[in-house]
Amino acid sequence: MSAGDQKNGGDKPGDTVPVAEVWPEVERAECLARGAALKWASGVFCQPEHLERLSQYRKRESQRTASIHTRLKSMVQSYLEGVGWGLEQLREARTELKEVSHTLKKAGLETNGNAEGVKSLERLRDVSVNHRQLLAAVSNLPRLYSVRSMVLETERLVESRRLLEAHARLMDLERWQDDILWQLHGAAGTSGSALSTEDQELVAKYFSGVGQLVDALGKELWAVVSSALAVARQNPTPFVSAVRIVEREEALDQVLLEERGGPGGNNRPLPPRRPRCWRSCFFQVLEEAVSARFRSVSYLHTRGPGLAGHLSALQHAIMADLATVRHLLEHCVPSHYRLTGAYLRASHYCLHTHLMQVSSWDLESGEIFAVLNWVLHIYNSPDMMGHPELVVEMEREELGPLISAEGLEQLQNKYVQSVRKSVSEWMHKALQVELQDWQREQEPDTDHEGFYQTSLPTIITQMLEENARVALMIGESLRDQTIQMGLYEMENLLNKFREALVEFGKEHRRDPSNNKNKFYLYYLLASISNCIILNSNVTSPQQQSTRSASQFSRTPPNPLAALDRAVRRACRLVMDQLLLDLQPFLPSLLTRPWLVQGEPTPKLCHVLERHLELYGRVRPPCRQEEAQWLMVVEYVRALMQKRTVCRSAEERRQLAQQMLQDDQLFRESFQCLEGDGSVADVNPLALLPVLADFIRLKDPGMLTLELSGLVAKYPDISEEHVSVLLDIRGDVSRDIRGAVLDLLEQSAPPLPAGYRPIFTDILVPPSTMAFCLPTAKCA
């Protein structure tokens, strides 16, 4: 039955049972196929009219089934043919294996038969070994007898420094020793045993003088090499001989290593004390010689000023040795030695070690400057390693810096700290000199413009500029650090200077009549001029220091702020002195006698003129402006004390007229100093005419309008000030007073930007009015 009949359900169901028992997967696959077919048919023939195409589907599926059966039969046929060919190959291989096994058995039998014949040749082998040993002994007898004399002759040649001849004899002795050891080794290897320790010790004892000769020759060689820098100009021949011997030894080491270790090399052992690596020893000795040359430079007086001389001596010694190496020794060695580069490496390393040792000392600023200048500028200058003929060698060797970046930073920090200590001491001394100058019984010195000054700003400025100039010789970074340090110290000095000003003022106030304080005001003005000079000299370094501090995330110094505080304090003391001189005349101001006679305004103006004359000897800002402000504040403060209260319109007119006359006298004293009319630059003297107009106003009903103008000009005027002005008028009723004060409370404009309050500095004295009941509002 065909597969197709089985698939469609044949009449012999028993035919499929064996297949299912052997391969259960077939039954599972058939079930899956039937299920898939049923699903497909239910989808295709879901409508009765679709059954008309049943014959077409049946024919197509029959063709597909026949094609599959054909491909299966072809595949099975190919598989069966391959299996048959493999079985045939296996049969042929089995036959060949049987033949090879038979041949190996025959060879084993023949080998066993020949073993008996080989045993009879062992005696002949022993005789041959003994014969070769005797032959070697006979051939080496002449050499062995001459070893002692050769050793003595070589020692004599070494002592007389005939190094090439001594080395030739030494090579002969070593070759003999090597040959004898090799012959003994070969004889032992032939007999199947290793060279005995007894034989090795015998040969080593007999040739013991050879090892001593090697040491003696090496000692002489290294003595010649180490002294080459010193004696090569007189006689370079020993150095040339030493280099030739080193090259012979290096070549011999190379040949021996290639013979023993190269491909196809023999098993001959290396001779004793090989390889010698004398070329490496040559450069080691050269480095030690360079180090010894460094140590030969005198270390005496290297501290303090002698350190610069020591570094200069090092420079000359290095350049002299470099000239010897480049122009003489370089021509005595093979080109691959690159002797100049070797000397540069050795000297650079020695310098690095020596400078690190020097940097660890407790150096002063001058010593640190000498080291930094030598490392950063002299060492790489054309006079030293920056020479055009040495630049290529330096770049090729890639030696790096003499002192690392961290070491240089530490040195620079030590330099800045050392300079800071010195600057701090000098500034302290300068301040002490300044304080002593304040006690002098003469006027301060003046500059070419006639302004008072002392030596303090000159000393500080020159000190900072000199330190910055010296630091710039090392580099801009050190210059910036030095400037920043100087500004920090200057800020500290100015803070102490301001404290000294405060003490100076306290001392003067304790005893104003003391003769020592005769020129108190003069030195205050000189201090202000000093601060102004310092301000102009510090502005540029301050900006530079701010940029430098921002790069290092540091808080920059702010000497300008300290200067401003010192100037303000000095100006305050000057104004206090002016107030002290005005104080005897202020109680008589705006009184009844003043109203009649006009006193003491001329005396006040006289004091003002005397002070203003002195203020002309000082640089701004402490000049007439502050004095003008003080005079107006004190004048209005006297007005607020209500020393004069008008009882009639005539008195109001007279009071206002006298105030205007005082204002005119003040203006003449201040030389008619006027502002530009802006709010930010209000002339304080303009307040007096405004107050005079407010007092002499005839119609009290217009006071509200007058007050509006007053508040617009002086927005800091308070209710207490206005109440005092109304009291001085003496003609204001309760209703008008209430209206005026209500208007002031309602307007109260904010202070404009840049406006300097004047009424804030004028306190109104407390009222002396008798107690009244709270049931009624007091007038």
Side-chain angles (χ1 to χ4, degrees), residues 101-116:
S101 178
H102 180 66
T103 304
L104 289 175
K105 287 181 180 179
K106 289 175 63 178
L109 293 175
E110 292 179 359
T111 301
N112 293 333
N114 293 332
E116 298 296 332

Side-chain angles (χ1 to χ4, degrees), residues 570-767:
C571 288
R572 184 67 264 168
L573 293 174
V574 169
M575 292 299 103
D576 290 345
Q577 182 62 30
L578 173 60
L579 181 60
L580 184 63
D581 293 344
L582 293 175
Q583 197 64 43
F585 310 106
L586 291 177
S588 302
L589 194 63
L590 292 166
T591 60
R592 287 289 175 179
W594 165 84
L595 187 61
V596 177
Q597 302 173 3
E599 293 291 341
T601 304
K603 297 179 181 179
L604 290 173
C605 292
H606 177 70
V607 173
L608 283 173
E609 290 170 359
R610 181 164 53 86
H611 275 259
L612 291 175
E613 182 181 359
L614 291 178
Y615 298 166
R617 309 291 294 275
V618 67
R619 299 176 184 274
C622 189
R623 275 192 172 180
Q624 299 182 9
E625 294 88 342
E626 292 298 320
Q628 189 180 33
W629 198 271
L630 174 67
M631 189 66 252
V632 172
V633 168
E634 292 301 324
Y635 193 93
V636 177
R637 182 177 287 122
L639 180 64
M640 290 294 111
Q641 293 177 0
K642 296 189 292 186
R643 297 170 183 171
T644 300
V645 176
C646 299
R647 294 188 290 268
S648 63
E650 178 59 26
E651 288 188 357
R652 286 192 292 274
R653 184 195 64 77
Q654 189 178 1
L655 174 61
Q657 184 65 30
Q658 190 61 42
M659 289 178 63
L660 291 176
Q661 291 178 5
D662 289 352
D663 175 65
Q664 185 61 31
L665 291 175
F666 290 149
R667 289 179 182 272
E668 293 175 358
S669 298
F670 288 114
Q671 299 175 356
C672 299
L673 189 68
E674 296 289 345
D676 58 3
S678 63
V679 176
D681 189 18
V682 174
N683 180 6
L685 285 176
L687 175 60
L688 300 185
V690 173
L691 295 178
D693 292 341
F694 187 86
I695 292 173
R696 72 179 176 184
L697 186 65
K698 295 180 179 181
D699 185 3
M702 300 293 293
L703 286 176
T704 54
L705 181 61
E706 190 71 20
L707 180 65
S708 299
L710 179 61
V711 172
K713 293 181 180 180
Y714 302 97
D716 62 319
I717 191 170
S718 67
E719 181 178 344
E720 289 79 7
H721 296 116
V722 175
S723 295
V724 171
L725 292 176
L726 296 177
D727 291 341
I728 292 174
R729 283 183 57 88
D731 65 340
V732 181
S733 64
R734 180 186 303 178
D735 295 337
I736 296 177
R737 178 187 292 270
V740 169
L741 296 180
D742 290 341
L743 175 65
L744 178 63
E745 182 179 358
Q746 293 174 3
S747 57
L751 299 182
Y755 172 78
R756 180 179 178 181
I758 188 170
F759 283 97
T760 305
D761 298 333
I762 304 172
L763 299 179
V764 177
S767 176

